[in-house]
Amino acid sequence: DSGVTQTPKHLITATGQRVTLRCSPRSGDLSVYWYQQSLDQGLQFLIQYYNGEERAKGNILERFSAQQFPDLHSELNLSSLELGDSALYFCASSRGTGIQETQYFGPGTRLLVL
Amino acid sequence: GEDVEQSLFLSVREGDSSVINCTYTDSSSTYLYWYKQEPGAGLQLLTYIFSNMDMKQDQRLTVLLNKKDKHLSLRIADTQTGDSAIYFCAESYRNNAGNMLTFGGGTRLMVKP
């Protein structure tokens, strides 16, 4: 158990809908990262927050947004969902921000868009 | 962005050693990680190495780094059926004011009894 929690574990929804994925980092970690794992794209970095502020951005679609709250939990919002958004979404956390920071991953949220 | 490449599949017999290979492209100092993913599970951190090191050993795991060729390998000694999983190599690098991991496509390790 990495100490990173994600809810829900599974999510089934329809195209055009909006969902929110939630992540709680390990105790003491200030950075939260979001990754998407899909069959065709593999594991891709989406976005990083550090102590409430956005710090790094990857190939995140404009339909997707995230935020980190004062209690350091983070939410990833996916809107206008398409079939291709079906994937496993991982959250990771680390103490700080920097290439030396080890990222610990949560169990993931499996999203199925029908 | 950076590219991290891995072979897709490896099959070994129980008790043998497994060697999973990875190549990366970043030329600056970086950290390189190995993660394990079992079916239906998240990514479990196995080990990591800084790019100025040649080798790191942690129980049954040995990481070797060839900086000149940008080649990283993970050796699992005395491979067990419980080691069957997908293994991901990842490279850490700076992105704006933060950092991110770039992952390889993963190597599926199958251990036969």
Side-chain angles (χ1 to χ4, degrees):
Chain A
D1 184 356
S2 67
V4 179
T5 60
Q6 289 187 248
T7 57
K9 196 168 182 179
H10 301 278
L11 201 48
I12 302 174
T13 188
T15 54
Q17 295 298 303
R18 173 189 167 96
V19 296
T20 298
L21 312 184
R22 183 188 169 104
C23 167
S24 292
R26 293 186 320 156
S27 177
D29 284 0
L30 298 177
S31 271
V32 170
Y33 310 77
W34 287 97
Y35 291 83
Q36 180 195 58
Q37 185 178 34
S38 62
L39 284 174
D40 53 345
Q41 298 288 331
L43 264 161
Q44 287 207 311
F45 168 73
L46 296 178
I47 198 163
Q48 177 205 7
Y49 278 81
Y50 173 75
N51 204 21
E53 291 185 0
E54 181 185 309
R55 283 298 186 99
K57 211 164 185 176
N59 297 324
I60 186 167
L61 299 171
E62 283 192 14
R63 301 183 285 108
F64 295 3
S65 65
Q67 55 183 326
Q68 186 180 27
F69 295 86
D71 67 352
L72 301 176
H73 91 271
S74 177
E75 291 180 357
L76 179 67
N77 300 296
L78 315 176
S79 61
S80 303
L81 284 166
E82 301 174 0
L83 295 177
D85 297 327
S86 295
L88 194 47
Y89 290 84
F90 285 112
C91 168
S93 74
S94 67
R95 286 280 183 262
T97 182
I99 63 166
Q100 76 284 1
E101 294 293 331
T102 300
Q103 296 182 28
Y104 295 89
F105 282 75
T109 293
R110 189 171 293 277
L111 173 67
L112 181 59
V113 182
L114 299 175
Chain B
E2 310 301 332
D3 279 333
V4 179
E5 303 281 343
Q6 295 180 243
S7 51
L8 283 177
F9 187 76
L10 177 66
S11 178
V12 300
R13 293 227 169 259
E14 193 173 19
D16 288 349
S17 290
S18 307
V19 180
I20 302 170
N21 296 302
C22 168
T23 57
Y24 63 101
T25 58
D26 191 6
S27 59
S28 58
S29 297
T30 187
Y31 282 78
L32 297 149
Y33 297 84
W34 285 103
Y35 287 88
K36 175 184 179 184
Q37 185 177 31
E38 295 181 81
L43 295 167
Q44 175 194 351
L45 175 69
L46 292 177
T47 187
Y48 65 92
I49 189 167
F50 184 49
S51 59
N52 71 348
M53 297 169 64
D54 296 323
M55 186 183 92
K56 182 177 180 181
Q57 187 153 3
D58 185 358
Q59 299 182 339
R60 292 192 297 124
L61 305 179
T62 303
V63 178
L64 293 177
L65 180 59
N66 180 325
K67 291 180 283 296
K68 176 175 166 289
D69 295 337
K70 294 189 174 58
H71 181 265
L72 181 74
S73 67
L74 174 70
R75 178 177 179 269
I76 306 173
D78 187 24
T79 313
Q80 302 298 307
T81 54
D83 294 324
S84 293
I86 301 177
Y87 290 79
F88 290 93
C89 165
E91 178 180 5
S92 179
Y93 73 97
R94 194 163 297 285
N95 178 324
N96 295 328
N99 61 294
M100 59 177 277
L101 293 175
T102 296
F103 285 86
T107 299
R108 183 178 295 273
L109 173 65
M110 180 181 289
V111 183
K112 298 177 182 176

